[in-house]
Amino acid sequence: MKFEKLDSAAENLVRKTAKGKKIKPEKVKKLQQLLGEKKSAYEEKLKTSMEPGKREKLEMRLKVVEAHIEKANQL
Amino acid sequence: MDLNDYITIATHRKRWLKGGFDFIIAAYLVILWQLAIEGVPMLKKIFLPTILAILAYGFWISPDFKEIAAGVAIFLFGMLFLEEGFKAFTGGMLEKLLQKTTDKTWKSLCFGIVSTTIMQSSSLVSVITISFISAGLVTLVAGIGIIFGANIGTTTGAWLVAAFGLKVKISAYAMPMLVFGIVLAFQKSKYVKGIGSVLAGLGFLFLGIHYMKEGFEAFKGSFDLASLAVPGYAGLFLFAGIGAAATVVMQSSHATLVLILTALAAGQITYENSLALAIGANVGTTITAIIGSLSANIQGKRLAGAHLIFNVVTGVIAIVFIGQFVWAVDVISSRVGIAVDNYTMKLAVFHTLFNITGVLVMVPLITRLADGLVQYLPEKSTDSVEPKFLSDATIEFPDTVLHATKKEVWHLFDCAFELMAHGMNLRRTQILESPDLEATIDADREIIEFDMDDLYESKVKVLYSAIIEFISRAQANIPSVFSEELYRLRNAASEIVECVKHIKHLRKNTTKYMVSDNEHIRNEYNALRFRVANILREIYRHRDEGENSLAILELDELKAEEAAAHQVLNESITELLNNNQITPLMATSLMNDFYYSDETANNLVDIGQALLASHTDLVAEAAQEVVLDEDEIERIAAS
């Protein structure tokens, strides 16, 4: 193996173990799943919450989670 | 000249040589004594010139001594290369392994044994452990476990040298290793460089052993060190002292042990003397940890203390029960097929045996030892807050630098929390423990009297300066992949300071209006207090709840709520003013203070996101990628 190849192999190894690596698809899926669960929980709460102040807050939170899901889908 | 003249000259020379070696031994003891009574500053002054003078004198009187000394120097150079090489791999891998393998004492012990066996340097393992303890990544008990394990791991060096190094012509292996090692060490990649340094290090170690061996072989003809042997316990203590002094000078028990083994193989010292020298080398090696701990915090100093206690106790046990140990070594040697006269292998058995005995004796006392060290080496109590986790001992290990910095920024945040809470006339417990924070704030009328400037100087500024200084120095050493995270932490520290300054501005009117008879202005100021206190509470809730991969995203929800509140509060001020419910003076104060609370709230969310971000939890790492930016938050708040 040429030194350049050895060098790039080592660099790849670093990239895999150090920060700055590409996020693994299974981790993105896990994140999507957690965000999905959060969204469902807020939707459930919205169904039962009647107080206007609380409803507004929940709606806001729901919008934030939806924005997160949208971004996660692009990862 | 006739034969008698030659004999007379030879006799004089031998006496002269003996006098020279007596002088060297005496000088070693003087150095050790100076170290004990004067401490390191004195040592620094006299150490180098004394050593150089001794070496120059030794070279002048004996070419063989020159060869042995060169062997030791090459061996130590090899150790340096080896340590440098292994440091290349400490950018995450070793740290992660260490974190995972130190939750139980037996695991810490195994980590110490395995890592020292691989790296062949208990000093490197000690220094890394000190850096970890200083950064608060491992507990003192776990650190002590690693050090105990390293003492067993280091004994494998004696086995390798005794079984392999002294029997095979290792200089033949040294040459290709050096060539390959140096070629690789010149490459760009840090990791290839690291492999090169390890190879070159091993090559130099082998070459050093070869020169020591050659030197002692030649030395045998001109001088017999064995004639210096002193019988009984006096001899044991004398040679243990020499072993300790030699290790102090060389900063490596490994090098001392190889020197002992080569001298023993050449018949320059007796088997009994070599046992005492090995005991002394074990005690002397603690000096590396003690020097390493000088730049460490109190936890690092405690670990160095544990190292010293362990090695001294083990040394005393070995000296007191030397007869039993010799018997046990003979029994074990005969069982495993080591010849009766194979003293080098027997020395390796002895070295392992007494270190294992030390560990067996000390492991049950490990918690008591840690408690005792905490009691006898207490934290300095000063009026001003000192950095808890920043230490020079961590600076060479990138992952540790990140952990230490994050913990220190949390420490800064803790100190700033108190100032921010009191600045808003709230107590820490009210913010963190009230079941209904909003109601608590509405009902609260207590003004907390304190000097905010004074507390800022002693509790925040000191820590902040230390963090900035540490990060600046660390950035020069760490790979670029870690710089981004370090930059975020520096930013978080700056934002903490900004928050305190904003609260200082807020305090004046908050103190005035929170007790005002005008309920409208009182309510508005209580809303500002709640705004800041609620974010503080949320950040601490996430921290105390532990692993929550979505914690930083939940702070986005707070950000959106803050952005929405911004619009509501603006409208509210106009309405209050139009209805003459507040005076124009109150309105301008409120608008100014609204700006400060706004800035504080935004800064706090940013701080929370930087501090709660985890670079070990991969889902949390993915979550960092979907954090919303300011525009996205504004859009959601406006919709």
Side-chain angles (χ1 to χ4, degrees):
Chain A
M1 191 188 268
K2 282 184 180 175
F3 280 128
E4 282 166 18
K5 279 189 180 173
L6 189 68
D7 192 82
S8 71
E11 288 297 335
N12 284 338
L13 196 74
V14 180
R15 231 171 275 134
K16 274 182 193 168
T17 52
K19 209 178 172 300
K21 60 190 166 281
K22 216 171 169 335
I23 311 286
K24 286 181 185 166
E26 61 263 31
K27 300 296 166 192
V28 177
K29 271 198 179 151
K30 179 80 184 154
L31 176 67
Q32 286 168 329
Q33 184 206 327
L34 290 174
L35 287 169
E37 285 168 10
K38 205 169 178 57
K39 189 186 167 199
S40 309
Y42 282 154
E43 283 168 342
E44 275 304 305
K45 273 189 187 171
L46 260 177
K47 278 181 197 165
T48 53
S49 180
M50 284 302 165
E51 276 180 63
K54 277 191 180 174
R55 277 194 74 84
E56 273 171 27
K57 251 188 187 178
L58 276 172
E59 278 166 358
M60 176 82 69
R61 290 185 171 206
L62 187 60
K63 279 180 199 162
V64 173
V65 176
E66 283 168 350
H68 286 148
I69 291 173
E70 205 182 311
K71 281 186 107 170
N73 291 341
Q74 288 163 10
L75 282 179
Chain B
M1 280 199 296
D2 62 12
L3 188 63
N4 283 337
D5 292 333
Y6 281 113
I7 292 170
T8 312
I9 291 168
T11 313
H12 276 298
R13 187 158 180 215
K14 195 170 176 183
R15 272 187 206 143
W16 192 43
L17 274 172
K18 187 177 184 298
F21 271 91
D22 284 346
F23 169 74
I24 292 169
I25 290 160
Y28 272 141
L29 292 174
V30 167
I31 291 166
L32 195 68
W33 177 246
Q34 290 289 357
L35 173 66
I37 57 168
E38 300 285 352
V40 174
M42 176 66 188
L43 180 78
K44 273 183 184 165
K45 277 185 202 161
I46 63 154
F47 194 73
L48 190 62
T50 314
I51 293 299
L52 292 178
I54 292 168
L55 288 172
Y57 182 65
F59 297 158
W60 181 52
I61 61 168
S62 163
D64 303 329
F65 175 73
K66 198 157 53 187
E67 198 162 1
I68 296 165
V72 174
I74 294 169
F75 186 90
L76 289 173
F77 189 61
M79 293 284 286
L80 284 180
F81 254 83
L82 208 61
E83 290 187 6
E84 274 309 308
F86 279 113
K87 273 182 189 170
F89 300 97
T90 56
M93 207 156 64
L94 193 64
E95 286 93 334
K96 281 192 183 84
L97 195 69
L98 190 51
Q99 271 177 293
K100 279 184 192 163
T101 52
T102 52
D103 55 339
K104 293 201 169 69
T105 305
W106 69 267
K107 282 188 186 175
S108 310
L109 266 173
C110 289
F111 180 86
I113 295 171
V114 174
S115 57
T116 311
T117 303
I118 295 169
M119 295 194 269
Q120 284 297 304
S121 169
S122 61
S123 307
L124 182 62
V125 174
S126 310
V127 171
I128 292 174
T129 311
I130 286 174
S131 79
F132 264 66
I133 287 216
S134 300
L137 284 172
V138 293
T139 62
L140 182 61
V141 172
I144 295 174
I146 296 171
I147 294 294
F148 286 4
N151 272 278
I152 296 178
T154 198
T155 63
T156 55
W159 284 96
L160 288 173
V161 175
F164 175 70
L166 298 176
K167 295 196 176 91
V168 184
K169 199 167 186 284
I170 53 172
S171 58
Y173 296 96
M175 302 304 172
M177 277 177 148
L178 281 172
V179 175
F180 286 125
I182 295 296
V183 168
L184 292 179
F186 277 118
Q187 298 310 305
K188 253 198 262 169
S189 163
K190 185 185 154 199
Y191 288 82
V192 177
K193 252 185 189 189
I195 294 167
S197 296
V198 170
L199 262 183
L202 286 173
F204 280 122
L205 289 188
F206 287 1
L207 201 63
I209 293 170
H210 165 77
Y211 276 110
M212 283 189 241
K213 220 162 75 176
E214 295 279 304
F216 273 115
E217 285 296 330
F219 205 51
K220 202 159 60 173
S222 58
F223 186 68
D224 183 15
L225 269 173
S227 63
L228 291 173
V230 179
Y233 272 100
L236 259 177
F237 280 109
L238 174 69
F239 277 87
I242 294 169
T247 309
V248 167
V249 172
M250 292 190 278
Q251 293 263 307
S252 165
S253 63
H254 208 127
T256 312
L257 209 69
V258 173
L259 201 58
I260 298 166
L261 281 163
T262 44
L264 181 64
Q268 277 289 302
I269 49 172
T270 64
Y271 172 56
E272 288 72 22
N273 294 158
S274 73
L275 301 184
L277 284 165
I279 296 168
N282 240 42
V283 177
T285 193
T286 53
I287 198 73
T288 313
I290 290 169
I291 290 172
S293 76
L294 290 177
S295 61
N297 59 16
I298 191 69
Q299 286 285 60
K301 288 187 173 72
R302 285 171 185 156
L303 187 71
H307 197 180
L308 179 69
I309 291 169
F310 171 79
N311 285 33
V312 168
V313 168
T314 308
V316 169
I317 291 172
I319 287 175
V320 171
F321 297 102
I322 189 80
Q324 286 81 352
F325 273 112
V326 170
W327 173 80
V329 168
D330 288 341
V331 171
I332 293 168
S333 300
S334 67
R335 289 267 167 94
V336 296
I338 296 169
V340 181
D341 58 349
N342 190 347
Y343 292 118
T344 52
M345 286 295 278
K346 280 171 119 179
L347 177 61
V349 175
F350 172 75
H351 193 220
T352 308
L353 193 64
F354 87 80
N355 270 295
I356 290 177
T357 308
V359 170
L360 290 177
V361 169
M362 295 297 285
V363 160
L365 306 172
I366 205 164
T367 317
R368 274 196 210 169
L369 178 63
D371 291 343
L373 286 161
V374 171
Q375 198 184 336
Y376 288 106
L377 292 171
E379 302 240 19
K380 267 191 277 173
S381 59
T382 52
D383 287 340
S384 67
V385 176
E386 304 255 329
K388 271 188 186 172
F389 306 100
L390 306 182
S391 148
D392 284 350
T394 64
I395 212 134
E396 284 183 57
F397 309 106
D399 225 36
T400 320
V401 164
L402 277 189
H403 278 99
T405 312
K406 188 180 262 188
K407 287 209 166 206
E408 201 61 61
V409 178
W410 268 117
H411 182 208
L412 172 69
F413 196 37
D414 275 334
C415 296
F417 186 113
E418 193 189 330
L419 252 82
M420 287 190 271
H422 288 186
M424 295 181 298
N425 293 309
L426 287 168
R427 302 214 175 261
R428 192 184 177 92
T429 47
Q430 286 177 306
I431 295 176
L432 298 180
E433 291 164 23
S434 297
D436 186 343
L437 182 60
E438 205 164 4
T440 304
I441 289 174
D442 281 340
D444 180 62
R445 295 283 183 277
E446 188 199 359
I447 307 286
I448 300 173
E449 298 291 349
F450 75 110
D451 187 337
M452 197 156 177
D453 287 328
D454 193 38
L455 277 182
Y456 170 76
E457 288 290 329
S458 61
K459 288 201 162 182
V460 174
K461 202 175 172 186
V462 178
L463 274 188
Y464 177 58
S465 312
I467 289 169
I468 295 299
E469 197 255 348
F470 181 76
I471 289 177
S472 306
R473 279 192 299 127
Q475 255 166 344
N477 289 323
I478 68 168
S480 55
V481 284
F482 293 91
S483 297
E484 198 186 326
E485 177 83 6
L486 213 52
Y487 178 76
R488 272 167 72 91
L489 291 172
R490 194 180 67 176
N491 232 17
S494 306
E495 287 185 303
I496 292 170
V497 171
E498 284 298 306
C499 284
V500 174
K501 287 180 178 169
H502 292 320
I503 296 288
K504 191 186 158 195
H505 291 298
L506 252 179
R507 178 171 170 74
K508 193 180 148 201
N509 289 325
T510 304
T511 305
K512 185 175 166 187
Y513 292 124
M514 66 177 263
V515 290
S516 167
D517 292 333
N518 181 333
E519 68 169 315
H520 303 289
I521 191 72
R522 198 173 66 230
N523 289 344
E524 291 304 320
Y525 270 91
N526 280 344
L528 296 187
R529 291 167 77 203
F530 172 71
R531 211 179 161 196
V532 175
N534 188 40
I535 299 174
L536 283 171
R537 182 183 166 106
E538 282 301 301
I539 292 172
Y540 273 72
R541 182 178 66 80
H542 284 303
R543 184 185 79 165
D544 298 338
E545 277 177 2
E547 284 292 303
N548 172 8
S549 307
L550 299 185
I552 57 167
L553 298 184
E554 284 174 19
L555 291 177
D556 265 354
E557 295 170 14
L558 273 182
K559 248 187 193 172
E561 281 172 22
E562 285 308 315
H566 183 95
Q567 292 161 7
V568 173
L569 271 162
N570 261 338
E571 289 161 14
S572 165
I573 293 173
T574 317
E575 200 182 316
L576 288 170
L577 201 56
N578 288 342
N579 295 339
N580 288 325
Q581 287 167 317
I582 58 171
T583 64
L585 195 69
M586 284 175 180
T588 49
S589 297
L590 192 55
M591 280 161 75
N592 280 338
D593 292 333
F594 184 61
Y595 163 80
Y596 292 128
S597 77
D598 219 25
E599 288 292 302
T600 310
N602 286 331
N603 282 345
L604 284 177
V605 174
D606 288 342
I607 294 162
Q609 285 182 323
L611 292 181
L612 293 168
S614 165
H615 61 284
T616 50
D617 175 353
L618 289 173
V619 179
E621 206 172 350
Q624 283 184 54
E625 299 293 315
V626 300
V627 168
L628 304 181
D629 60 33
E630 236 171 84
D631 291 340
E632 289 165 327
I633 293 282
E634 287 295 331
R635 268 201 302 276
I636 291 171
S639 63

